[in-house]
C-alpha cells in the first residue's frame, strides 16, 4: 500500500536561476526555502503562501552528471519533475512497483534525503520524484537575493504534460490525488491542484500592478522565457 504522499514541490530546469528571481521573489513574494549543489546541478527553492514550493534546477558540475544540461539541450527551460514526500521511501517504491510504476535512481546514502524516481516513459510523460526527508541544516540565502515584494502569492495549480494521460492519472491517484475535475487532482498539504496538459503554473493573491506588468491583466497566460512555462496570475 502506498504510504501517504505529500506534494512538496514542482521543479523547473533553467539555464540560470538568478534571472527568474525578480518575478518569483520580488513580484510573487516567494520566501527562500533551501538551496544546494550536487553532481550535475545546483538547486534553489522558493516557498509560497500556501506552502507549495518551486525549485529551480540549473547545470552545475556537468562533467559529473549532465542530466540537467541534457534536458536543457533538448528543449530549453521547462518543467522537469514533480516531487512527492513520503514517510517511508522503501514502502513507496514497493507500492509504486506493484502498481506498475517501477522506480529507478534509488538513493539512500544521505540520511537527510532518500529518493527514487519514476521515469517519464513509465509515469506517462512527466518525471516524478519520491523523497523521504530527514533533518538537515538550512544554508543562508544568497547575498544577492532580491527582497520579496509585498504580499506573497500562492502557487495553486500546476499543469504537467502527459504523453499517456491514463498512466499519468493512474499515478496521481496512486499518490493520493483526489479527482476534482476532468484531468485535475487535488493533493493534501498545500492544497495544490495538478492538471494534465501543457506545462503551466497558476498563482493567486497577486496584486493588480504585478498582474498588469507581467501579463496585461488577471488570468491571462504569459510565457516567462527564463522558466519556459506559461504562468497565470490572479
Amino acid at each position: 500500500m502506498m504510504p501517504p504522499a505529500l506534494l512538496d514541490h514542482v521543479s523547473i530546469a533553467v539555464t540560470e536561476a538568478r534571472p527568474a528571481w525578480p518575478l518569483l521573489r520580488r513580484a510573487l513574494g516567494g520566501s527562500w526555502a533551501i538551496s544546494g549543489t550536487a553532481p550535475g546541478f545546483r538547486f534553489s527553492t522558493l516557498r509560497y503562501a500556501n506552502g507549495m514550493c518551486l525549485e529551480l534546477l540549473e547545470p552545475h558540475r556537468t562533467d559529473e552528471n549532465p542530466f540537467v544540461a541534457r534536458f536543457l539541450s533538448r528543449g530549453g527551460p521547462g518543467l522537469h519533475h514533480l516531487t512527492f514526500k513520503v514517510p517511508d521511501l522503501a514502502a513507496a517504491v514497493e507500492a509504486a512497483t506493484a502498481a506498475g510504476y517501477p522506480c529507478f535512481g534509488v538513493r539512500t546514502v544521505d540520511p537527510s534525503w532518500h529518493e527514487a524516481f519514476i521515469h517519464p516513459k513509465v509515469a506517462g510523460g512527466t518525471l516524478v520524484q519520491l523523497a523521504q526527508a530527514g533533518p538537515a541544516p538550512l544554508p543562508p540565502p544568497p547575498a544577492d537575493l532580491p527582497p520579496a515584494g509585498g504580499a506573497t502569492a500562492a502557487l495553486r495549480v500546476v499543469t504537467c504534460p502527459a504523453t499517456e494521460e491514463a498512466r499519468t492519472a493512474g499515478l496521481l491517484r496512486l499518490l493520493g490525488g483526489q479527482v476534482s475535475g476532468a484531468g485535475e487532482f487535488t493533493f493534501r498539504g498545500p492544497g495544490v491542484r495538478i492538471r494534465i496538459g501543457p506545462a503551466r503554473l497558476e498563482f493567486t493573491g497577486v496584486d493588480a500592478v504585478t498582474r498588469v506588468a507581467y501579463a496585461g491583466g488577471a488570468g491571462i497566460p504569459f510565457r516567462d522565457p527564463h522558466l519556459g512555462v506559461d504562468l497565470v496570475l490572479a
Side-chain angles (χ1 to χ4, degrees):
M1 181 177 180
M2 176 65 69
L6 175 68
L7 177 61
D8 183 71
H9 67 264
V10 56
S11 185
I12 306 292
V14 296
T15 304
E16 185 182 359
R18 278 176 171 78
W21 288 351
L23 168 61
L24 299 178
R25 168 76 169 166
R26 186 182 296 125
L28 299 178
S31 61
W32 190 258
I34 192 172
S35 63
T37 63
F41 68 97
R42 177 187 292 115
F43 68 92
S44 52
T45 306
L46 296 171
R47 180 176 289 109
Y48 290 91
N50 56 329
M52 182 62 178
C53 290
L54 174 60
E55 176 185 74
L56 300 180
L57 292 179
E58 56 186 315
H60 177 69
R61 292 160 53 188
T62 56
D63 57 321
E64 298 177 60
N65 189 336
F67 79 97
V68 175
R70 187 168 56 239
F71 178 93
L72 292 168
S73 70
R74 288 198 297 260
L79 193 152
H80 187 268
H81 67 264
L82 300 172
T83 294
F84 293 83
K85 285 186 176 178
V86 294
D88 186 335
L89 181 66
V93 169
E94 182 179 359
T97 301
Y101 297 93
C103 298
F104 75 100
V106 179
R107 299 180 183 90
T108 58
V109 175
D110 182 351
S112 68
W113 189 260
H114 293 179
E115 65 181 6
F117 295 89
I118 301 175
H119 196 279
K121 291 181 179 178
V122 175
T126 296
L127 178 66
V128 170
Q129 180 186 46
L130 304 176
Q132 179 182 340
L138 297 179
D144 59 346
L145 183 71
T152 303
L155 176 50
R156 291 293 185 188
V157 181
V158 175
T159 303
C160 62
T163 53
E164 295 183 62
E165 186 171 332
R167 284 200 63 79
T168 299
L171 178 56
L172 294 176
R173 285 194 297 269
L174 178 68
L175 293 170
Q178 301 296 312
V179 178
S180 53
E184 180 179 279
F185 301 82
T186 299
F187 285 85
R188 59 186 288 267
V192 174
R193 287 171 287 159
I194 292 182
R195 292 176 181 156
I196 298 173
R200 175 184 289 187
L201 306 177
E202 299 184 30
F203 291 84
T204 61
V206 181
D207 66 83
V209 172
T210 298
R211 295 197 303 261
V212 171
Y214 280 92
I220 302 173
F222 72 98
R223 173 62 59 97
D224 181 85
H226 304 299
L227 301 176
V229 299
D230 288 343
L231 288 89
V232 173
L233 311 180

